[in-house]
Amino acid sequence: MSPRRHAFVSAGLLLATVTGCGTAVTSEDAKPTTPTTTTTPAGRSAAPGGTPDGIPLAKAVAQLRAAEEADRDGYDRTRFKHWADADDDACDTRSEVLIDEAVKAVRQGEDCELTGGKWLSYYDEVTLTEASGLDIDHMVPLEEAWASGATGWTDERREAYANDLGAERSLVAVTARTNRSKGGKDPARWLPPATSAHCTYAVDWTATKLRWDLAANDKELTVLNKLVEDCPDATVSLKPAA
């Protein structure tokens, strides 16, 4: 079982595949090129024809539950406990994602100290060789999740969400500056600076919201439907979280 799936697996499994847009990385030193193929960050599944049971991104977006956001004033990041070490192997959720998404394998030392390695931040097509330069982004930010339905969850479910290693799309290693620029924003207020990332991002966002039954507001749906037009071959395959 891959590092991204051996903890919180009871939350279920979701995979999403993007085709027809993005950038293929063919070696650890390859630079992003014209966005005509498939974006496949390490730990992700992608194939030219999409997954056999995938549905078009347009249909996935149509399945999102439309609702206005709850008041964000009650949001408290501490209500989403992270980063957990669910299997007591000394590697917490952050480390597990870094290990899995490395495009050049990292070395694990005592207490899961990570050295070496190389990562591609698909938000901005930047390659990094220092784990300290990466943040682990919750695809749907904790604050956005709170406003979209997590206000009514138990603390245990919020912890499962914050440490969702059961899906390859829920958490992603990206440059700290892009993660902090994104903050708690939805796609109506923020999209990755690399346009080649937009199809992948639309799939990842939609897949995560469907997985956790999180609502989308009108402005968010408007932007997602515009992205649908730009990503005609994007497909999503999912299984809801338990």
Side-chain angles (χ1 to χ4, degrees):
M1 186 174 291
S2 73
R4 292 290 290 281
R5 302 183 188 181
H6 75 303
F8 290 100
V9 292
S10 62
L13 172 65
L14 176 151
L15 297 176
T17 300
V18 182
T19 63
C21 76
T23 304
V25 178
T26 56
S27 75
E28 66 181 44
D29 294 318
K31 298 298 182 182
T33 55
T34 305
T36 57
T37 53
T38 305
T39 297
T40 55
R44 299 176 183 271
S45 299
T51 54
D53 57 346
I55 63 172
L57 176 60
K59 289 186 177 181
V61 170
Q63 290 181 18
L64 289 169
R65 178 167 52 86
E68 290 306 306
E69 290 189 350
D71 191 343
R72 294 193 179 205
D73 288 346
Y75 167 70
D76 185 344
R77 187 174 176 83
T78 63
R79 298 293 298 275
F80 294 81
K81 183 181 178 181
H82 62 289
W83 303 108
D85 179 7
D87 55 3
D88 295 321
D89 67 347
C91 292
D92 64 11
T93 301
R94 171 183 164 81
S95 296
E96 299 285 10
V97 177
L98 289 172
I99 292 167
D100 190 54
E101 293 208 343
V103 295
K104 177 183 177 182
V106 299
R107 294 184 295 275
Q108 286 180 242
E110 188 176 355
D111 296 325
C112 203
E113 181 183 0
L114 304 181
T115 57
K118 183 179 289 189
W119 294 266
L120 173 67
S121 168
Y122 92 84
Y123 285 3
D124 49 3
E125 297 182 337
V126 171
T127 298
L128 300 94
T129 56
E130 295 291 338
S132 60
L134 292 150
D135 279 358
I136 305 304
D137 182 36
H138 291 91
M139 177 52 55
V140 175
L142 302 181
E143 184 178 359
E144 169 69 16
W146 176 268
S148 303
T151 52
W153 293 355
T154 63
D155 288 340
E156 290 75 18
R157 186 168 179 81
R158 281 190 284 264
E159 180 178 357
Y161 178 83
N163 297 274
D164 188 10
L165 293 172
E168 294 176 348
R169 298 287 173 172
S170 297
L171 301 168
V172 58
V174 295
T175 55
R177 67 171 176 266
T178 54
N179 182 46
R180 294 165 196 182
S181 171
K182 173 181 173 179
K185 303 180 185 75
D186 67 19
R189 296 186 293 158
W190 189 89
L191 287 171
T195 56
S196 61
H198 288 183
C199 292
T200 300
Y201 192 76
V203 167
D204 288 0
W205 182 276
T206 303
T208 304
K209 282 225 159 175
L210 287 173
R211 172 172 168 76
W212 290 93
D213 189 28
L214 294 169
N217 63 27
D218 288 343
K219 290 182 179 179
E220 179 183 343
L221 288 170
T222 296
V223 172
L224 288 172
N225 280 306
K226 175 61 172 66
L227 290 169
V228 163
E229 297 175 6
D230 298 334
C231 310
D233 298 320
T235 62
V236 182
S237 154
L238 65 91
K239 179 179 178 181

